[in-house]
Amino acid sequence: IAGITQAPTSQILAAGRRMTLRCTQDMRHNAMYWYRQDLGLGLRLIHYSNTAGTTGKGEVPDGYSVSRANTDDFPLTLASAVPSQTSVYFCASSTLPGTEAFFGQGTRLTVV
Amino acid sequence: RKEVEQDPGPFNVPEGATVAFNCTYSNSASQSFFWYRQDCRKEPKLLMSVYSSGNEDGRFTAQLNRASQYISLLIRDSKLSDSATYLCVGTSGSARQLTFGSGTQLTVLP
């Protein structure tokens, strides 16, 4: 692994199902982020973690949860997916909060 | 009002042209600023950081004006490969989260 990896790359999900998007980085970055990107709305922060063991809510946290059990992993869970959660999801990490972030390749999620 | 605002464009310019993008931010406490580039259906990639003194990287120049709360990106001698969406980014909140503008679309024409 080199950098930041997301899985799956794409997924079609039935409404009401639970889904976890995975994100792993090998750069030993302290801060990690989850964004969603929708046409016309740009990138919006869902949740963030400034260091392992801590998390915080971003601009659009409702319907999502995260955990940060260790430095490398930052999974995003949709407890009960709804069609409005159809989006492209990007995970990112940075050395420290507020410094330049590096992004994973994204997960395209369609909720039907 | 969004914390970071950009003209969405699109900007269509001929190869070799100089093009400038501006971005305004509302949070005067923002400390760090960046420009990212995003190609269609790809992840955003860091283009350059923006410093108060201004900084240059080849054909790209970034400027920060704290008094007027705006950031600019100048691209000289545009190449076809510069066609992309350019995202302005600032930090916000006590946790210094990165807040993205909606992006400005650039198409460089042959």
Side-chain angles (χ1 to χ4, degrees):
Chain A
I1 297 176
I4 185 164
T5 303
Q6 294 182 233
T9 55
S10 66
Q11 181 77 44
I12 298 174
L13 185 68
R17 297 295 297 268
R18 180 184 179 89
M19 173 80 188
T20 295
L21 308 185
R22 300 185 298 279
C23 176
T24 299
Q25 53 101 1
D26 65 355
M27 299 176 282
R28 308 303 294 172
H29 283 174
N30 288 297
M32 296 188 74
Y33 316 88
W34 274 105
Y35 290 88
R36 60 177 289 174
Q37 187 172 35
D38 304 288
L39 193 63
L41 296 175
L43 283 154
R44 292 180 293 168
L45 183 66
I46 305 171
H47 285 286
Y48 65 92
S49 169
N50 285 343
T51 189
T54 69
T55 62
K57 293 181 179 181
E59 181 184 356
V60 288
D62 294 343
Y64 306 95
S65 63
V66 292
S67 61
R68 186 89 184 275
N70 57 61
T71 297
D72 298 345
D73 301 301
F74 191 43
L76 176 74
T77 297
L78 289 68
S80 179
V82 294
S84 62
Q85 292 177 310
T86 294
S87 188
V88 180
Y89 291 86
F90 287 105
C91 180
S93 69
S94 62
T95 307
L96 294 170
T99 61
E100 51 265 35
F102 298 89
F103 283 78
Q105 80 277 22
T107 295
R108 297 184 177 280
L109 180 67
T110 303
V111 182
V112 296
Chain B
R1 182 187 172 194
K2 285 180 67 69
E3 287 201 34
V4 178
E5 295 205 50
Q6 297 180 248
D7 181 346
F11 284 67
N12 299 318
V13 303
E15 216 174 349
T18 295
V19 61
F21 305 137
N22 288 325
C23 165
T24 59
Y25 62 95
S26 60
N27 186 348
S28 59
S30 294
Q31 296 179 342
S32 303
F33 302 91
F34 310 93
W35 282 101
Y36 277 73
R37 169 196 170 122
Q38 186 174 26
D39 294 289
C40 187
R41 302 176 72 84
K42 299 281 190 179
E43 73 273 22
K45 294 185 178 178
L46 179 68
L47 180 65
M48 58 199 305
S49 302
V50 185
Y51 305 120
S52 296
S53 56
N55 49 304
E56 187 173 313
D57 183 3
R59 298 182 293 108
F60 299 84
T61 300
Q63 294 277 356
L64 166 63
N65 184 319
R66 287 195 182 274
S68 300
Q69 294 186 204
Y70 79 81
I71 306 136
S72 63
L73 177 68
L74 184 76
I75 305 175
R76 291 180 299 278
D77 189 23
S78 299
K79 311 292 185 190
L80 296 177
S81 57
D82 293 334
S83 297
T85 296
Y86 290 83
L87 303 166
C88 174
V89 186
T91 56
S92 64
S94 58
R96 302 185 65 202
Q97 305 100 312
L98 297 181
T99 300
F100 284 75
S102 299
T104 299
Q105 186 179 344
L106 171 67
T107 301
V108 181
L109 305 168

